[in-house]
Structure formats: structure tokens, C-alpha cells
């Protein structure tokens, strides 16, 4: 199955619902989405940390990157943040890397085992929403599994 030109606009409420469903034990909440990124708070060790996640898209390489910056009244050593990010993704599928304090996702390699090819056109924050625009998506896994119209119809007998 092939899908062309589809867009998603996710609000902070949408993202908080997704977090609650996918990772209910994670103490993370999104508080705002501005043009500079997704702003939120999470519990890290004994601190409540404010963070900003800036989305980035490189269409040519098929990469989606999220640069995370955090701040708190107490300085948190960057090495501790990087180590925590690496620990959090140690069991993640291939295609996810931690570079400094950024999480880098290589979408094609993550979706390859699912037989899905995806071309991301835009991954940004606009007007209180996280925007994901896909220019092409091929769901090879579903080929031949969806019924085609008219295949199983019976003659009317007239």
C-alpha cells in the first residue's frame, strides 16, 4: 500500500496522551509547543527538569533529529545527560543514536524490519503543534493483505 502526502499536527494534549499510553511510568509532560521546539518537564533522578526538544529533518539522509536541551537551577553535567540518554535507548532498535545531548533517529533503518519506507518532508514546530509531513510512505507489509473492491462480489442473478 502506498500513501502520498500526509501530514500530522500534534498538539501538546496529543503528545501527553501518547506518552501516557506508550510509557505510563515515565514522568514526562509537555507544557507547550513553540516555534523553537517542544517544551516540557521531566523527573530526572531527584530533580524536575525543564527541557526543550527541537525537531530537525534532513530529507536527503532520511533522518529525523531531536536536539534536547535541559535546564535546572542546579547544573547537570552534560556527560550525565548523555549517559542517561544512552541508557534509556540501550534496548532500542537499530537506527537510534545519542550524539552529545541529541537523539538522532534514522527513520528508514528503524522502519525497515516492518517493511515500511518513509520519506519525511517536514518535522517542525508551528503554531502550537508539532508538524510531521510525509511525502511518500510504502507499506509493503500490507501488500496483498487488503481486500480489493469487487473481488468477492457475487452476480446478482438477474
Amino acid at each position: 500500500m502506498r500513501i502520498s502526502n500526509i501530514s500530522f499536527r500534534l498538539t501538546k494534549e496529543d503528545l501527553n496522551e501518547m506518552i501516557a499510553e506508550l510509557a505510563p511510568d515515565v514522568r514526562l509532560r509537555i507544557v507547550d509547543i513553540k516555534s523553537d521546539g517542544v517544551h516540557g518537564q521531566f523527573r530526572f533522578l531527584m530533580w524536575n527538569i525543564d527541557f526543550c526538544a527541537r525537531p530537525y529533518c534532513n530529507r536527503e539522509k532520511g533522518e529525523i533529529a531531536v536536539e534536547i536541551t535541559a535546564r535546572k537551577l542546579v547544573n547537570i553535567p552534560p556527560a550525565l545527560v548523555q549517559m542517561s540518554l544512552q541508557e534509556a535507548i540501550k534496548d532500542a532498535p537499530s537506527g537510534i543514536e545519542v550524539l552529545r545531548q541529541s537523539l538522532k533517529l534514522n527513520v528508514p533503518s528503524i522502519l525497515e524490519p516492518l517493511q515500511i519506507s518513509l520519506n519525511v518532508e517536514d518535522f517542525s514546530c508551528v503554531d502550537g503543534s508539532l508538524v510531521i509531513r510525509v511525502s511518500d510512505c510504502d507499506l509493503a507489509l500490507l501488500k496483498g493483505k487488503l481486500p480489493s473492491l469487487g473481488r468477492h462480489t457475487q452476480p446478482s442473478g438477474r
Side-chain angles (χ1 to χ4, degrees), residues 46-116:
M46 65 187 110
W47 302 293
N48 287 319
I49 312 267
D50 295 328
F51 71 89
C52 179
R54 290 177 189 85
Y56 166 77
C57 175
N58 184 331
R59 288 178 265 169
E60 291 78 32
K61 293 182 180 179
E63 293 174 345
I64 293 178
V66 179
E67 180 185 335
I68 301 168
T69 55
R71 60 187 161 82
K72 178 67 182 141
L73 295 177
V74 204
N75 276 342
I76 300 170
L80 184 58
V81 174
Q82 183 171 345
M83 185 177 68
S84 296
L85 281 172
Q86 287 173 331
E87 180 67 24
I89 66 159
K90 70 179 179 187
D91 296 326
S94 64
I96 302 177
E97 300 175 60
V98 174
L99 302 171
R100 296 190 188 128
Q101 294 181 45
S102 295
L103 206 55
K104 184 177 181 181
L105 310 174
N106 187 299
V107 176
S109 64
I110 292 171
L111 297 176
E112 186 179 335
L114 302 173
Q115 296 180 347
I116 298 172

Side-chain angles (χ1 to χ4, degrees), residues 7-8 10 21 28 50 59 63 83 104 121-122 152:
S7 294
F8 301 95
L10 302 170
E21 284 183 34
L28 170 82
D50 295 328
R59 288 178 265 169
E63 293 174 345
M83 185 177 68
K104 184 177 181 181
E121 196 69 28
D122 184 22
H152 300 289

Side-chain angles (χ1 to χ4, degrees), residues 2-20:
R2 186 172 214 85
I3 300 171
S4 297
N5 300 319
I6 188 167
S7 294
F8 301 95
R9 290 182 78 90
L10 302 170
T11 64
K12 70 178 183 179
E13 291 81 11
D14 296 331
L15 293 173
N16 282 323
E17 283 181 32
M18 289 171 67
I19 292 166

